[in-house]
Amino acid sequence: MVAENRHSRMVTKMVDLRSDTVTKPTEAMRAAMANAEVDDDVLGYDPSALRLETEMAKITGKEAGLFVPSGTMGNLISVLVHCNIRGSEVILGNNSHIHIYENGGISTIGGVHPRTVKNNEDGTMDIDLIEAAIRDPRGEIVYPTTRLICLENSQANCGGRCLSVEYTDKVGELAKKHGLKLHIDGARIFNASVALGVPVSRLVQDADSVSVCLSKGIGAPVGSVIVGSKSFIAKARILRKTLGGGMRQVGILCAAALVAVQENVSKLEDDHKKAKMLAEGLNQIKGLRLNVAAVETNIIYFDVVEGAKITAETLCKNLEQHGIFVMQESPISIRVVLHHQISASDVQYTLSCFKQAFGWGARGYRHLVEEIACHKLSSENAHGAESLNCS
């Protein structure tokens, strides 16, 4: 693929690892959009939207679904439905997407107060700390009223870590014990499901609502679906209109999203394998620091260590000159995200450019590639495959 990067320098290959939101619609998606059966969705009659919403409700084990333009709107609507009285409080992770990356919408628009609990490295929050954060109703004269707990699965800022069924069940039990609702930000719930080997419906069984992003891991061009009870979705539909998210012939978008659900969930396991392969390669570069064991899905975080030959900022610029785009998260931290439009050869090309940036010679890189290939063959138990010198 010939592409032109942001510095207007022609490159022979472009590998975009900034996010799994950068995927382009497949030919099947474009065909589905062109042929989509549509009507006015604000009036509730778009057949393509209804098909997608029905399918997502079935997958998640909920009564009904609602298509929304973005995950941010999906989370906002969900919080506002559950916290329908201004001054309500929601308990959520200090490193959660809702708290950090959604413009403080629950507060600025909904008047909902966030009470954060520390996210552990594995994306969880300690159960006892969640319970301790629940306000005592006897103090309502001075405290906001706790009405909701929010989880995120997989947890993006913790490196795509997955919350187990057992953990989510415990949080669900805690919520019921105190008469609270549970919302799951499932932006990458399909990734978590595949990584854990657990159906989505089981992962979100205890949730009162879930927001599922379709334009991340599974590669739809636009949109999310929120799911819950019929009464929850009825209230959500009104709020969607209030927030400007009511669209007319939205089936054009829903048709592409349905293709993503039907065709791309099965590709996530391969995305995860390629992420692990890339992480293992990066981990062998002197000057980078990462935890390979923490790479459970398609997200990798790593640091450029102090005293390395190159800074994170310079490294990102160097990679861009070779057509590789990554996301710098801090002065030392970088994030990369794999998706179905990144091939195994893209991973190898990316590693070669990292090696070049850190001054690796061709012989050192060739040995690295052989080690990764050997590990891949061993992990997949590839009988009859061509043997490599793995010494």
Side-chain angles (χ1 to χ4, degrees):
M1 177 179 180
V2 178
E4 190 169 354
N5 69 17
R6 285 176 286 178
H7 294 288
S8 299
R9 171 179 172 174
M10 295 300 295
V11 295
T12 58
K13 189 177 184 71
M14 186 171 79
V15 181
D16 197 338
L17 299 169
R18 292 172 298 167
S19 178
D20 46 8
T21 61
V22 303
T23 56
K24 306 301 187 290
T26 63
E27 289 302 316
M29 290 180 194
R30 294 178 187 272
M33 294 172 76
N35 297 306
E37 187 181 1
V38 297
D39 204 322
D40 191 326
D41 185 52
V42 174
L43 301 180
Y45 294 119
D46 189 293
S48 295
L50 291 172
R51 276 194 290 271
L52 174 66
E53 291 162 351
T54 300
E55 179 65 13
M56 289 303 297
K58 179 181 177 182
I59 289 171
T60 56
K62 304 303 179 186
E63 291 181 352
L66 183 70
F67 182 82
V68 292
S70 69
T72 294
M73 182 179 285
N75 286 329
L76 177 59
I77 289 173
S78 299
V79 172
L80 297 191
V81 170
H82 295 308
C83 300
N84 59 343
I85 300 173
R86 293 182 68 85
S88 298
E89 188 166 73
V90 54
I91 296 171
L92 73 175
N94 71 317
N95 214 9
S96 65
H97 196 280
I98 294 176
H99 184 59
I100 298 175
Y101 293 120
E102 298 184 10
N103 300 109
I106 62 172
S107 299
T108 57
I109 296 174
V112 178
H113 187 262
R115 185 170 172 98
T116 60
V117 173
K118 181 180 181 296
N119 280 115
N120 299 314
E121 289 185 0
D122 64 358
T124 63
M125 299 175 281
D126 290 346
I127 301 291
D128 58 342
L129 294 182
I130 297 176
E131 187 161 29
I134 299 171
R135 302 288 187 175
D136 188 336
R138 295 172 296 182
E140 64 180 358
I141 191 68
V142 290
Y143 297 145
T145 301
T146 308
R147 288 193 166 86
L148 178 66
I149 300 171
C150 289
L151 298 177
E152 181 180 336
N153 199 11
S154 63
Q155 219 292 350
N157 265 9
C158 293
R161 303 296 292 272
C162 304
L163 306 186
S164 69
V165 167
E166 294 77 15
Y167 174 78
T168 306
D169 284 353
K170 289 179 182 178
V171 177
E173 291 168 6
L174 179 66
K176 289 181 176 64
K177 173 184 174 182
H178 291 274
L180 308 178
K181 299 296 184 181
L182 173 63
H183 172 69
I184 294 180
D185 175 1
R188 294 182 176 89
I189 194 69
F190 285 114
N191 290 89
S193 171
V194 169
L196 294 171
V198 178
V200 171
S201 58
R202 182 63 186 90
L203 283 179
V204 302
Q205 180 175 291
D206 278 358
D208 296 283
S209 60
V210 187
S211 174
V212 182
C213 188
L214 305 171
S215 62
K216 288 190 168 71
I218 61 174
V222 179
S224 292
V225 171
I226 50 179
V227 295
S229 67
K230 291 180 180 178
S231 61
F232 169 85
I233 293 299
K235 295 172 184 176
R237 188 178 296 276
I238 296 170
L239 275 170
R240 183 185 69 172
K241 187 70 169 68
T242 303
L243 295 170
M247 297 178 284
R248 302 297 177 178
Q249 286 71 39
V250 74
I252 291 175
L253 299 177
C254 293
L258 190 56
V259 171
V261 172
Q262 294 170 340
E263 296 186 0
N264 288 349
V265 174
S266 62
K267 300 175 183 177
L268 294 176
E269 184 177 4
D270 192 48
D271 295 342
H272 298 171
K273 288 179 180 178
K274 286 179 286 191
K276 200 74 164 181
M277 185 191 307
L278 179 57
E280 289 167 350
L282 294 174
N283 193 46
Q284 296 188 43
I285 300 176
K286 185 178 180 180
L288 296 181
R289 178 176 57 237
L290 70 152
N291 180 4
V292 175
V295 180
E296 296 178 350
T297 55
N298 64 327
I299 300 174
I300 307 169
Y301 279 92
F302 58 91
D303 293 339
V304 178
V305 301
E306 186 177 355
K309 295 180 180 180
I310 193 171
T311 65
E313 182 178 4
T314 304
L315 175 60
C316 291
K317 290 179 179 178
N318 182 292
L319 293 171
E320 280 190 18
Q321 291 172 0
H322 293 85
I324 297 173
F325 297 89
V326 298
M327 187 80 73
Q328 184 176 352
E329 294 285 328
S330 77
I332 66 168
S333 180
I334 294 173
R335 185 189 81 165
V336 299
V337 184
L338 280 290
H339 50 80
H340 74 98
Q341 291 176 341
I342 298 296
S343 67
S345 65
D346 290 333
V347 171
Q348 301 297 356
Y349 174 71
T350 299
L351 282 172
S352 73
C353 291
F354 269 93
K355 305 306 169 294
Q356 187 179 64
F358 280 86
W360 276 47
R363 182 177 180 182
Y365 171 64
R366 185 167 57 251
H367 180 68
L368 173 68
V369 170
E370 289 179 353
E371 282 192 349
I372 295 170
C374 287
H375 177 83
K376 184 171 184 284
L377 288 173
S378 175
S379 64
E380 293 178 355
N381 197 19
H383 300 292
E386 180 182 352
S387 63
L388 292 169
N389 180 11
C390 299
S391 59

